[in-house]
mmCIF file of all heavy atoms in Angstrom:
data_model
loop_
_atom_site.group_PDB
_atom_site.id
_atom_site.type_symbol
_atom_site.label_atom_id
_atom_site.label_comp_id
_atom_site.label_asym_id
_atom_site.label_seq_id
_atom_site.Cartn_x
_atom_site.Cartn_y
_atom_site.Cartn_z
ATOM 1 N N PRO A 223 20.306 2.798 -58.377
ATOM 2 C CA PRO A 223 19.206 2.914 -59.342
ATOM 3 C C PRO A 223 18.123 1.851 -59.159
ATOM 4 O O PRO A 223 16.936 2.126 -59.352
ATOM 5 C CB PRO A 223 19.914 2.747 -60.703
ATOM 6 C CG PRO A 223 21.320 3.158 -60.450
ATOM 7 C CD PRO A 223 21.615 2.718 -59.050
ATOM 8 N N TYR A 224 18.526 0.641 -58.767
ATOM 9 C CA TYR A 224 17.537 -0.422 -58.544
ATOM 10 C C TYR A 224 16.688 -0.127 -57.310
ATOM 11 O O TYR A 224 15.469 -0.310 -57.328
ATOM 12 C CB TYR A 224 18.243 -1.773 -58.389
ATOM 13 C CG TYR A 224 18.973 -2.224 -59.623
ATOM 14 C CD1 TYR A 224 20.338 -1.992 -59.784
ATOM 15 C CD2 TYR A 224 18.302 -2.891 -60.644
ATOM 16 C CE1 TYR A 224 21.008 -2.413 -60.919
ATOM 17 C CE2 TYR A 224 18.963 -3.314 -61.786
ATOM 18 C CZ TYR A 224 20.319 -3.067 -61.915
ATOM 19 O OH TYR A 224 20.979 -3.478 -63.048
ATOM 20 N N THR A 225 17.338 0.292 -56.239
ATOM 21 C CA THR A 225 16.587 0.592 -55.012
ATOM 22 C C THR A 225 15.741 1.852 -55.186
ATOM 23 O O THR A 225 14.654 1.944 -54.616
ATOM 24 C CB THR A 225 17.556 0.780 -53.830
ATOM 25 O OG1 THR A 225 18.502 1.802 -54.155
ATOM 26 C CG2 THR A 225 18.296 -0.497 -53.534
ATOM 27 N N GLU A 226 16.217 2.804 -55.980
ATOM 28 C CA GLU A 226 15.480 4.056 -56.173
ATOM 29 C C GLU A 226 14.116 3.792 -56.808
ATOM 30 O O GLU A 226 13.115 4.397 -56.441
ATOM 31 C CB GLU A 226 16.293 5.007 -57.061
ATOM 32 C CG GLU A 226 15.703 6.399 -57.203
ATOM 33 C CD GLU A 226 15.766 7.199 -55.908
ATOM 34 O OE1 GLU A 226 16.538 6.830 -55.005
ATOM 35 O OE2 GLU A 226 15.031 8.201 -55.800
ATOM 36 N N GLY A 227 14.071 2.881 -57.776
ATOM 37 C CA GLY A 227 12.799 2.582 -58.418
ATOM 38 C C GLY A 227 11.928 1.617 -57.633
ATOM 39 O O GLY A 227 10.725 1.517 -57.888
ATOM 40 N N TYR A 228 12.527 0.913 -56.676
ATOM 41 C CA TYR A 228 11.804 -0.135 -55.954
ATOM 42 C C TYR A 228 11.241 0.324 -54.616
ATOM 43 O O TYR A 228 10.164 -0.122 -54.209
ATOM 44 C CB TYR A 228 12.740 -1.333 -55.755
ATOM 45 C CG TYR A 228 12.166 -2.452 -54.924
ATOM 46 C CD1 TYR A 228 11.023 -3.138 -55.331
ATOM 47 C CD2 TYR A 228 12.769 -2.850 -53.729
ATOM 48 C CE1 TYR A 228 10.506 -4.174 -54.582
ATOM 49 C CE2 TYR A 228 12.266 -3.886 -52.971
ATOM 50 C CZ TYR A 228 11.129 -4.546 -53.398
ATOM 51 O OH TYR A 228 10.611 -5.572 -52.651
ATOM 52 N N TRP A 229 11.936 1.220 -53.938
ATOM 53 C CA TRP A 229 11.584 1.499 -52.549
ATOM 54 C C TRP A 229 10.240 2.196 -52.387
ATOM 55 O O TRP A 229 9.539 1.961 -51.410
ATOM 56 C CB TRP A 229 12.710 2.300 -51.868
ATOM 57 C CG TRP A 229 13.708 1.398 -51.225
ATOM 58 C CD1 TRP A 229 14.174 0.230 -51.735
ATOM 59 C CD2 TRP A 229 14.352 1.552 -49.954
ATOM 60 N NE1 TRP A 229 15.082 -0.361 -50.880
ATOM 61 C CE2 TRP A 229 15.211 0.444 -49.779
ATOM 62 C CE3 TRP A 229 14.312 2.531 -48.977
ATOM 63 C CZ2 TRP A 229 15.996 0.278 -48.643
ATOM 64 C CZ3 TRP A 229 15.106 2.376 -47.842
ATOM 65 C CH2 TRP A 229 15.930 1.259 -47.677
ATOM 66 N N LEU A 230 9.850 3.076 -53.303
ATOM 67 C CA LEU A 230 8.561 3.750 -53.136
ATOM 68 C C LEU A 230 7.398 2.766 -53.235
ATOM 69 O O LEU A 230 6.541 2.730 -52.330
ATOM 70 C CB LEU A 230 8.415 4.884 -54.152
ATOM 71 C CG LEU A 230 7.149 5.741 -53.986
ATOM 72 C CD1 LEU A 230 7.101 6.364 -52.593
ATOM 73 C CD2 LEU A 230 7.094 6.827 -55.055
ATOM 74 N N PRO A 231 7.306 1.937 -54.297
ATOM 75 C CA PRO A 231 6.214 0.945 -54.302
ATOM 76 C C PRO A 231 6.347 -0.087 -53.182
ATOM 77 O O PRO A 231 5.335 -0.557 -52.648
ATOM 78 C CB PRO A 231 6.336 0.282 -55.685
ATOM 79 C CG PRO A 231 7.692 0.608 -56.178
ATOM 80 C CD PRO A 231 8.059 1.921 -55.565
ATOM 81 N N TRP A 232 7.588 -0.417 -52.799
ATOM 82 C CA TRP A 232 7.751 -1.374 -51.698
ATOM 83 C C TRP A 232 7.230 -0.791 -50.386
ATOM 84 O O TRP A 232 6.536 -1.479 -49.622
ATOM 85 C CB TRP A 232 9.231 -1.742 -51.539
ATOM 86 C CG TRP A 232 9.504 -2.422 -50.233
ATOM 87 C CD1 TRP A 232 9.026 -3.621 -49.818
ATOM 88 C CD2 TRP A 232 10.274 -1.898 -49.146
ATOM 89 N NE1 TRP A 232 9.458 -3.894 -48.539
ATOM 90 C CE2 TRP A 232 10.224 -2.848 -48.108
ATOM 91 C CE3 TRP A 232 11.014 -0.741 -48.968
ATOM 92 C CZ2 TRP A 232 10.875 -2.646 -46.907
ATOM 93 C CZ3 TRP A 232 11.661 -0.546 -47.764
ATOM 94 C CH2 TRP A 232 11.586 -1.490 -46.743
ATOM 95 N N LEU A 233 7.516 0.479 -50.097
ATOM 96 C CA LEU A 233 7.017 1.107 -48.877
ATOM 97 C C LEU A 233 5.491 1.232 -48.915
ATOM 98 O O LEU A 233 4.821 1.073 -47.882
ATOM 99 C CB LEU A 233 7.664 2.482 -48.691
ATOM 100 C CG LEU A 233 9.136 2.460 -48.257
ATOM 101 C CD1 LEU A 233 9.746 3.847 -48.348
ATOM 102 C CD2 LEU A 233 9.270 1.923 -46.838
ATOM 103 N N ALA A 234 4.935 1.504 -50.108
ATOM 104 C CA ALA A 234 3.471 1.539 -50.229
ATOM 105 C C ALA A 234 2.879 0.166 -49.938
ATOM 106 O O ALA A 234 1.853 0.055 -49.236
ATOM 107 C CB ALA A 234 3.078 2.004 -51.628
ATOM 108 N N SER A 235 3.525 -0.883 -50.437
ATOM 109 C CA SER A 235 3.035 -2.238 -50.159
ATOM 110 C C SER A 235 3.180 -2.583 -48.683
ATOM 111 O O SER A 235 2.333 -3.289 -48.116
ATOM 112 C CB SER A 235 3.791 -3.259 -51.018
ATOM 113 O OG SER A 235 5.135 -3.407 -50.592
ATOM 114 N N ALA A 236 4.233 -2.078 -48.035
ATOM 115 C CA ALA A 236 4.421 -2.326 -46.599
ATOM 116 C C ALA A 236 3.317 -1.654 -45.793
ATOM 117 O O ALA A 236 2.799 -2.226 -44.818
ATOM 118 C CB ALA A 236 5.788 -1.811 -46.154
ATOM 119 N N TRP A 237 2.932 -0.426 -46.186
ATOM 120 C CA TRP A 237 1.865 0.272 -45.469
ATOM 121 C C TRP A 237 0.533 -0.449 -45.657
ATOM 122 O O TRP A 237 -0.234 -0.628 -44.699
ATOM 123 C CB TRP A 237 1.751 1.717 -45.954
ATOM 124 C CG TRP A 237 0.712 2.482 -45.198
ATOM 125 C CD1 TRP A 237 0.847 3.071 -43.974
ATOM 126 C CD2 TRP A 237 -0.651 2.714 -45.602
ATOM 127 N NE1 TRP A 237 -0.340 3.649 -43.588
ATOM 128 C CE2 TRP A 237 -1.273 3.441 -44.567
ATOM 129 C CE3 TRP A 237 -1.395 2.365 -46.726
ATOM 130 C CZ2 TRP A 237 -2.598 3.843 -44.644
ATOM 131 C CZ3 TRP A 237 -2.728 2.759 -46.792
ATOM 132 C CH2 TRP A 237 -3.310 3.486 -45.760
ATOM 133 N N LEU A 238 0.244 -0.882 -46.879
ATOM 134 C CA LEU A 238 -1.007 -1.601 -47.121
ATOM 135 C C LEU A 238 -1.009 -2.958 -46.409
ATOM 136 O O LEU A 238 -2.054 -3.408 -45.931
ATOM 137 C CB LEU A 238 -1.197 -1.808 -48.627
ATOM 138 C CG LEU A 238 -1.648 -0.571 -49.402
ATOM 139 C CD1 LEU A 238 -1.520 -0.801 -50.900
ATOM 140 C CD2 LEU A 238 -3.079 -0.199 -49.046
ATOM 141 N N GLY A 239 0.164 -3.590 -46.316
ATOM 142 C CA GLY A 239 0.255 -4.832 -45.556
ATOM 143 C C GLY A 239 -0.059 -4.618 -44.085
ATOM 144 O O GLY A 239 -0.729 -5.445 -43.456
ATOM 145 N N ALA A 240 0.427 -3.500 -43.526
ATOM 146 C CA ALA A 240 0.104 -3.172 -42.129
ATOM 147 C C ALA A 240 -1.389 -2.899 -41.966
ATOM 148 O O ALA A 240 -2.015 -3.323 -40.984
ATOM 149 C CB ALA A 240 0.918 -1.955 -41.694
ATOM 150 N N PHE A 241 -1.980 -2.190 -42.931
ATOM 151 C CA PHE A 241 -3.419 -1.899 -42.916
ATOM 152 C C PHE A 241 -4.222 -3.197 -42.862
ATOM 153 O O PHE A 241 -5.185 -3.325 -42.088
ATOM 154 C CB PHE A 241 -3.766 -1.085 -44.168
ATOM 155 C CG PHE A 241 -5.176 -0.582 -44.220
ATOM 156 C CD1 PHE A 241 -5.709 0.194 -43.200
ATOM 157 C CD2 PHE A 241 -5.979 -0.866 -45.315
ATOM 158 C CE1 PHE A 241 -7.014 0.669 -43.261
ATOM 159 C CE2 PHE A 241 -7.285 -0.399 -45.390
ATOM 160 C CZ PHE A 241 -7.800 0.365 -44.361
ATOM 161 N N LEU A 242 -3.824 -4.181 -43.663
ATOM 162 C CA LEU A 242 -4.486 -5.483 -43.660
ATOM 163 C C LEU A 242 -4.230 -6.235 -42.359
ATOM 164 O O LEU A 242 -5.130 -6.872 -41.800
ATOM 165 C CB LEU A 242 -3.980 -6.293 -44.858
ATOM 166 C CG LEU A 242 -4.454 -7.739 -44.976
ATOM 167 C CD1 LEU A 242 -5.973 -7.814 -45.068
ATOM 168 C CD2 LEU A 242 -3.833 -8.405 -46.209
ATOM 169 N N TYR A 243 -3.005 -6.138 -41.838
ATOM 170 C CA TYR A 243 -2.646 -6.857 -40.609
ATOM 171 C C TYR A 243 -3.463 -6.358 -39.415
ATOM 172 O O TYR A 243 -3.878 -7.154 -38.569
ATOM 173 C CB TYR A 243 -1.158 -6.696 -40.337
ATOM 174 C CG TYR A 243 -0.685 -7.408 -39.088
ATOM 175 C CD1 TYR A 243 -0.417 -8.772 -39.117
ATOM 176 C CD2 TYR A 243 -0.513 -6.722 -37.892
ATOM 177 C CE1 TYR A 243 -0.001 -9.434 -37.977
ATOM 178 C CE2 TYR A 243 -0.096 -7.376 -36.749
ATOM 179 C CZ TYR A 243 0.162 -8.723 -36.798
ATOM 180 O OH TYR A 243 0.564 -9.380 -35.659
ATOM 181 N N PHE A 244 -3.713 -5.045 -39.339
ATOM 182 C CA PHE A 244 -4.489 -4.509 -38.224
ATOM 183 C C PHE A 244 -5.928 -5.034 -38.266
ATOM 184 O O PHE A 244 -6.519 -5.321 -37.222
ATOM 185 C CB PHE A 244 -4.476 -2.979 -38.248
ATOM 186 C CG PHE A 244 -3.105 -2.380 -38.072
ATOM 187 C CD1 PHE A 244 -2.743 -1.227 -38.745
ATOM 188 C CD2 PHE A 244 -2.165 -2.984 -37.256
ATOM 189 C CE1 PHE A 244 -1.476 -0.684 -38.592
ATOM 190 C CE2 PHE A 244 -0.895 -2.451 -37.100
ATOM 191 C CZ PHE A 244 -0.554 -1.293 -37.772
ATOM 192 N N ALA A 245 -6.501 -5.163 -39.466
ATOM 193 C CA ALA A 245 -7.841 -5.748 -39.578
ATOM 194 C C ALA A 245 -7.832 -7.202 -39.117
ATOM 195 O O ALA A 245 -8.755 -7.657 -38.423
ATOM 196 C CB ALA A 245 -8.335 -5.651 -41.023
ATOM 197 N N SER A 246 -6.781 -7.936 -39.479
ATOM 198 C CA SER A 246 -6.662 -9.330 -39.039
ATOM 199 C C SER A 246 -6.552 -9.414 -37.517
ATOM 200 O O SER A 246 -7.112 -10.319 -36.892
ATOM 201 C CB SER A 246 -5.433 -9.978 -39.685
ATOM 202 O OG SER A 246 -5.537 -9.992 -41.083
ATOM 203 N N SER A 247 -5.840 -8.465 -36.904
ATOM 204 C CA SER A 247 -5.699 -8.452 -35.446
ATOM 205 C C SER A 247 -7.041 -8.229 -34.770
ATOM 206 O O SER A 247 -7.341 -8.856 -33.752
ATOM 207 C CB SER A 247 -4.712 -7.355 -35.028
ATOM 208 O OG SER A 247 -3.436 -7.584 -35.560
ATOM 209 N N VAL A 248 -7.868 -7.341 -35.338
ATOM 210 C CA VAL A 248 -9.204 -7.096 -34.783
ATOM 211 C C VAL A 248 -10.052 -8.360 -34.875
ATOM 212 O O VAL A 248 -10.751 -8.735 -33.920
ATOM 213 C CB VAL A 248 -9.886 -5.922 -35.523
ATOM 214 C CG1 VAL A 248 -11.349 -5.797 -35.098
ATOM 215 C CG2 VAL A 248 -9.157 -4.612 -35.242
ATOM 216 N N ALA A 249 -9.982 -9.051 -36.024
ATOM 217 C CA ALA A 249 -10.765 -10.282 -36.188
ATOM 218 C C ALA A 249 -10.299 -11.360 -35.207
ATOM 219 O O ALA A 249 -11.120 -12.043 -34.582
ATOM 220 C CB ALA A 249 -10.649 -10.781 -37.627
ATOM 221 N N ARG A 250 -8.980 -11.510 -35.053
ATOM 222 C CA ARG A 250 -8.463 -12.515 -34.121
ATOM 223 C C ARG A 250 -8.868 -12.190 -32.687
ATOM 224 O O ARG A 250 -9.192 -13.087 -31.906
ATOM 225 C CB ARG A 250 -6.937 -12.601 -34.218
ATOM 226 C CG ARG A 250 -6.431 -13.172 -35.516
ATOM 227 C CD ARG A 250 -5.009 -13.708 -35.390
ATOM 228 N NE ARG A 250 -4.097 -12.739 -34.786
ATOM 229 C CZ ARG A 250 -3.389 -11.855 -35.464
ATOM 230 N NH1 ARG A 250 -3.502 -11.800 -36.786
ATOM 231 N NH2 ARG A 250 -2.565 -11.023 -34.860
ATOM 232 N N ALA A 251 -8.832 -10.913 -32.324
ATOM 233 C CA ALA A 251 -9.223 -10.517 -30.970
ATOM 234 C C ALA A 251 -10.679 -10.871 -30.690
ATOM 235 O O ALA A 251 -11.051 -11.148 -29.545
ATOM 236 C CB ALA A 251 -8.996 -9.021 -30.777
ATOM 237 N N ASN A 252 -11.513 -10.869 -31.748
ATOM 238 C CA ASN A 252 -12.925 -11.213 -31.592
ATOM 239 C C ASN A 252 -13.179 -12.711 -31.730
ATOM 240 O O ASN A 252 -14.328 -13.141 -31.774
ATOM 241 C CB ASN A 252 -13.768 -10.452 -32.612
ATOM 242 C CG ASN A 252 -14.018 -9.013 -32.197
ATOM 243 O OD1 ASN A 252 -14.961 -8.719 -31.464
ATOM 244 N ND2 ASN A 252 -13.156 -8.109 -32.649
ATOM 245 N N GLY A 253 -12.088 -13.484 -31.815
ATOM 246 C CA GLY A 253 -12.221 -14.931 -31.811
ATOM 247 C C GLY A 253 -12.359 -15.573 -33.176
ATOM 248 O O GLY A 253 -12.576 -16.788 -33.266
ATOM 249 N N ASP A 254 -12.236 -14.784 -34.258
ATOM 250 C CA ASP A 254 -12.353 -15.339 -35.607
ATOM 251 C C ASP A 254 -10.955 -15.552 -36.184
ATOM 252 O O ASP A 254 -10.270 -14.595 -36.548
ATOM 253 C CB ASP A 254 -13.151 -14.394 -36.505
ATOM 254 C CG ASP A 254 -13.447 -15.016 -37.875
ATOM 255 O OD1 ASP A 254 -12.848 -16.049 -38.202
ATOM 256 O OD2 ASP A 254 -14.275 -14.451 -38.608
ATOM 257 N N MET A 255 -10.521 -16.799 -36.260
ATOM 258 C CA MET A 255 -9.224 -17.125 -36.834
ATOM 259 C C MET A 255 -9.334 -17.524 -38.307
ATOM 260 O O MET A 255 -8.366 -17.423 -39.055
ATOM 261 C CB MET A 255 -8.576 -18.272 -36.048
ATOM 262 C CG MET A 255 -8.266 -17.931 -34.617
ATOM 263 S SD MET A 255 -6.976 -16.687 -34.509
ATOM 264 C CE MET A 255 -7.087 -16.262 -32.780
ATOM 265 N N ARG A 256 -10.513 -17.955 -38.710
ATOM 266 C CA ARG A 256 -10.660 -18.453 -40.074
ATOM 267 C C ARG A 256 -10.549 -17.330 -41.098
ATOM 268 O O ARG A 256 -9.913 -17.507 -42.143
ATOM 269 C CB ARG A 256 -11.995 -19.182 -40.225
ATOM 270 C CG ARG A 256 -12.095 -20.428 -39.372
ATOM 271 C CD ARG A 256 -13.323 -21.244 -39.703
ATOM 272 N NE ARG A 256 -13.399 -22.442 -38.869
ATOM 273 C CZ ARG A 256 -14.290 -23.410 -39.034
ATOM 274 N NH1 ARG A 256 -15.175 -23.323 -40.005
ATOM 275 N NH2 ARG A 256 -14.295 -24.461 -38.229
ATOM 276 N N LEU A 257 -11.186 -16.202 -40.823
ATOM 277 C CA LEU A 257 -11.138 -15.090 -41.781
ATOM 278 C C LEU A 257 -9.714 -14.567 -41.985
ATOM 279 O O LEU A 257 -9.261 -14.445 -43.135
ATOM 280 C CB LEU A 257 -12.072 -13.968 -41.328
ATOM 281 C CG LEU A 257 -12.137 -12.737 -42.239
ATOM 282 C CD1 LEU A 257 -12.600 -13.125 -43.641
ATOM 283 C CD2 LEU A 257 -13.065 -11.678 -41.640
ATOM 284 N N PRO A 258 -8.941 -14.260 -40.912
ATOM 285 C CA PRO A 258 -7.547 -13.835 -41.137
ATOM 286 C C PRO A 258 -6.708 -14.901 -41.824
ATOM 287 O O PRO A 258 -5.909 -14.594 -42.719
ATOM 288 C CB PRO A 258 -7.024 -13.552 -39.728
ATOM 289 C CG PRO A 258 -8.228 -13.310 -38.902
ATOM 290 C CD PRO A 258 -9.300 -14.177 -39.487
ATOM 291 N N GLY A 259 -6.883 -16.182 -41.423
ATOM 292 C CA GLY A 259 -6.124 -17.255 -42.061
ATOM 293 C C GLY A 259 -6.457 -17.378 -43.535
ATOM 294 O O GLY A 259 -5.569 -17.544 -44.382
ATOM 295 N N LEU A 260 -7.755 -17.274 -43.861
ATOM 296 C CA LEU A 260 -8.175 -17.353 -45.254
ATOM 297 C C LEU A 260 -7.611 -16.187 -46.064
ATOM 298 O O LEU A 260 -7.154 -16.365 -47.204
ATOM 299 C CB LEU A 260 -9.705 -17.349 -45.329
ATOM 300 C CG LEU A 260 -10.320 -17.374 -46.734
ATOM 301 C CD1 LEU A 260 -9.928 -18.649 -47.470
ATOM 302 C CD2 LEU A 260 -11.841 -17.241 -46.651
ATOM 303 N N MET A 261 -7.611 -14.985 -45.478
ATOM 304 C CA MET A 261 -7.086 -13.821 -46.190
ATOM 305 C C MET A 261 -5.583 -13.931 -46.409
ATOM 306 O O MET A 261 -5.061 -13.476 -47.439
ATOM 307 C CB MET A 261 -7.415 -12.543 -45.424
ATOM 308 C CG MET A 261 -8.844 -12.069 -45.571
ATOM 309 S SD MET A 261 -9.313 -11.757 -47.285
ATOM 310 C CE MET A 261 -10.187 -13.281 -47.680
ATOM 311 N N MET A 262 -4.868 -14.514 -45.459
ATOM 312 C CA MET A 262 -3.432 -14.732 -45.648
ATOM 313 C C MET A 262 -3.179 -15.657 -46.837
ATOM 314 O O MET A 262 -2.272 -15.435 -47.644
ATOM 315 C CB MET A 262 -2.815 -15.299 -44.370
ATOM 316 C CG MET A 262 -2.794 -14.311 -43.210
ATOM 317 S SD MET A 262 -2.509 -15.104 -41.605
ATOM 318 C CE MET A 262 -0.745 -15.405 -41.673
ATOM 319 N N VAL A 263 -4.016 -16.702 -46.956
ATOM 320 C CA VAL A 263 -3.871 -17.631 -48.077
ATOM 321 C C VAL A 263 -4.242 -16.951 -49.388
ATOM 322 O O VAL A 263 -3.516 -17.047 -50.394
ATOM 323 C CB VAL A 263 -4.744 -18.885 -47.843
ATOM 324 C CG1 VAL A 263 -4.736 -19.783 -49.078
ATOM 325 C CG2 VAL A 263 -4.269 -19.655 -46.622
ATOM 326 N N VAL A 264 -5.376 -16.244 -49.400
ATOM 327 C CA VAL A 264 -5.864 -15.606 -50.629
ATOM 328 C C VAL A 264 -4.883 -14.554 -51.135
ATOM 329 O O VAL A 264 -4.539 -14.518 -52.322
ATOM 330 C CB VAL A 264 -7.259 -14.981 -50.394
ATOM 331 C CG1 VAL A 264 -7.659 -14.086 -51.560
ATOM 332 C CG2 VAL A 264 -8.293 -16.076 -50.196
ATOM 333 N N THR A 265 -4.418 -13.670 -50.231
ATOM 334 C CA THR A 265 -3.496 -12.621 -50.665
ATOM 335 C C THR A 265 -2.166 -13.203 -51.136
ATOM 336 O O THR A 265 -1.554 -12.694 -52.077
ATOM 337 C CB THR A 265 -3.246 -11.612 -49.536
ATOM 338 O OG1 THR A 265 -2.831 -12.294 -48.338
ATOM 339 C CG2 THR A 265 -4.505 -10.815 -49.231
#
């Protein structure tokens, strides 16, 4: 019962975390480390 109520929002948060991570990867590839680092702190 605990996992049943938790896994759907947890999987949604995992997908959104990946969405954010891919943007950070694009920024790092372009040489910007401050923006991804700042977003990691802010989030």
Side-chain angles (χ1 to χ4, degrees):
Y224 296 96
T225 56
E226 187 69 17
Y228 175 62
W229 270 40
L230 185 58
W232 165 64
L233 287 170
S235 71
W237 183 81
L238 284 168
F241 186 56
L242 175 59
Y243 180 81
F244 297 144
S246 299
S247 298
V248 171
R250 292 201 309 270
N252 281 274
D254 187 348
M255 296 293 169
R256 296 189 180 187
L257 180 59
L260 178 62
M261 283 302 99
M262 292 164 77
V263 173
V264 169
T265 53

